[in-house]
Amino acid sequence: IFGFVDESQPEIFCQILSNEPSEKLVEMGYDSSKMVFRTEDGAISNAVWDVMMYNLLEQVPKIQDAFYKAHKMNDKSTK
């Protein structure tokens, strides 16, 4: 992927860490063991995607709330 990744491992941690994740962040899927990307193609896990999107949307609270609600309702089309 980056020329220095041990590709013998299927997944590698992507270093998204939080000492005290909020309840909503945990509900979005934050778990340090799920913050990974695949070495084969560099794809990130769904948990990484959801956590990163939730964090980025902090700048637009209405959209962040809609994203959170869609996640809780498993509404993939809204997400």
Side-chain angles (χ1 to χ4, degrees), residues 52-63:
M52 292 305 297
M53 283 297 296
Y54 183 77
N55 280 329
L56 289 171
L57 290 171
E58 188 173 57
Q59 299 172 28
V60 190
K62 280 186 173 182
I63 297 174

Side-chain angles (χ1 to χ4, degrees), residues 1 5-12 37-43:
I1 294 173
V5 173
D6 178 5
E7 293 182 10
S8 67
Q9 300 295 318
E11 297 176 331
I12 293 187
F37 66 89
R38 292 194 308 248
T39 58
E40 182 179 333
D41 59 7

Side-chain angles (χ1 to χ4, degrees), residues 5 7 10 17 19 21 24 32 40 42-43 45 47-48 51 57 71 74:
V5 173
E7 293 182 10
L17 302 172
N19 289 333
K24 283 189 175 182
S32 60
E40 182 179 333
S45 68
V48 170
V51 166
L57 290 171
H71 178 79
N74 200 27

Side-chain angles (χ1 to χ4, degrees), residues 26-39:
V26 171
E27 290 175 5
M28 290 301 301
Y30 179 81
D31 176 340
S32 60
S33 69
K34 295 179 184 176
M35 301 292 106
V36 297
F37 66 89
R38 292 194 308 248
T39 58

